[in-house]
Amino acid sequence: AEQGREAEGVTWSAAALCLPASVPVATLPGWDAGWVAVQDGAAQLAAHILAPREGERILDACAAPGGKTAHLWALGATRLDALDRSAERLNRVRETLERQGGEVHLQAADAAETATWWNGETYDAILLDAPCTGTGVIRRHPDIRLRRQPEDVAEAVAQQARLLEGLWPCLRPGGRLLYATCSVLPEENEEQIAAFGQRHSDARCMAHPLTGQRLPGQEDMDGFYYALLEKDACA
């Protein structure tokens, strides 16, 4: 308000503001100093659901472009590792963190190929923002209706399952894994998680008011799906 920028608060986060009209991000007060970041509301929910706790070792398994990584750091994830299979895309994560002053260990690697990057020390929490068809962002990218083909869905489902299988051993007993997609297709979401649960008796879904399927436009957000899994402490 002091800078002459109109903004409103939101009900789902004490830290988020909604601007009534788009503006160039560099004109936002404190942008260069890292005071603010810009993400769709549904994407911001990830850090709030995972809710990093003091001292936890946390992995962001598919980090680029870095919005969720920086948000986790801002919420107190001081022992945070971030992976992305693309070294080029990982540069965007680095730029985002540098602007906001975040200190995160970055590594270019395929999260499912744990032998190439994991030292065997388990994580307390993992964020898997999985590659998907992107059908949840259709309100901003309507061309998705024309570009996506049935084989794209099958490919995404296989990749998601591969990542879930690869990352599960990296999670300590009693730890939690947040599975997320910006998709509205059940094959990528609830059916994917149900199939994973059938394969892993040590996995259970944790109840959380922000998980489940969110549709495009709901509360003026993108479509997103979240499932919070806990590994049996006796595993």
Side-chain angles (χ1 to χ4, degrees):
E2 291 173 356
Q3 298 293 323
R5 291 290 185 187
E6 184 181 352
E8 297 179 350
V10 296
T11 58
W12 45 268
S13 172
L17 294 173
C18 183
L19 277 63
S22 298
V23 299
V25 293
T27 67
L28 294 173
W31 174 262
D32 290 336
W35 295 357
V36 295
V38 176
Q39 279 193 105
D40 184 83
Q44 292 188 41
L45 298 180
H48 292 293
I49 297 170
L50 198 60
R53 303 161 190 166
E54 184 177 357
E56 283 190 322
R57 188 166 186 258
I58 298 177
L59 172 67
D60 187 350
C62 300
K68 297 180 185 67
T69 312
H71 197 180
L72 286 168
W73 174 82
L75 291 184
T78 56
R79 301 176 63 204
L80 179 58
D81 293 343
L83 302 177
D84 200 89
R85 65 190 304 177
S86 167
E88 182 178 354
R89 281 170 54 82
L90 203 63
N91 286 330
R92 295 185 61 189
V93 183
R94 185 175 291 106
E95 291 168 359
T96 297
L97 290 165
E98 286 177 350
R99 186 180 62 81
Q100 297 184 53
E103 295 183 7
V104 174
H105 175 248
L106 304 178
Q107 187 171 352
D110 183 335
E113 299 292 336
T114 54
T116 66
W117 62 270
W118 185 41
N119 64 4
E121 183 181 356
T122 54
Y123 289 91
D124 299 292
I126 296 174
L127 170 60
L128 173 55
D129 185 12
C132 68
T133 57
T135 47
V137 299
I138 197 168
R139 65 179 184 145
R140 294 189 288 114
H141 301 282
D143 56 307
I144 286 175
R145 290 187 62 212
L146 301 176
R147 296 175 59 189
R148 292 293 180 264
Q149 301 299 318
E151 56 267 25
D152 297 330
V153 180
E155 181 179 345
V157 169
Q159 177 75 325
Q160 293 152 4
R162 175 177 167 272
L163 286 162
L164 282 166
E165 292 296 328
L167 289 168
W168 194 243
C170 302
L171 186 68
R172 70 165 176 82
R176 59 202 187 281
L177 183 151
L178 179 59
Y179 175 80
T181 75
C182 55
S183 173
V184 297
L185 301 182
E187 300 98 310
E188 300 181 83
N189 297 335
E190 53 265 39
E191 291 178 12
Q192 180 73 267
I193 293 301
F196 181 79
Q198 290 177 350
R199 299 192 300 269
H200 293 272
S201 60
D202 59 346
R204 72 175 184 90
C205 280
M206 301 174 66
H208 193 287
L210 298 178
T211 57
Q213 182 68 68
R214 183 174 296 274
L215 298 176
Q218 185 178 340
E219 295 184 272
D220 201 28
M221 299 182 191
D222 285 339
F224 245 88
Y225 174 81
Y226 287 112
L228 186 60
L229 303 177
E230 183 179 42
K231 180 180 278 191
D232 189 339
C234 298

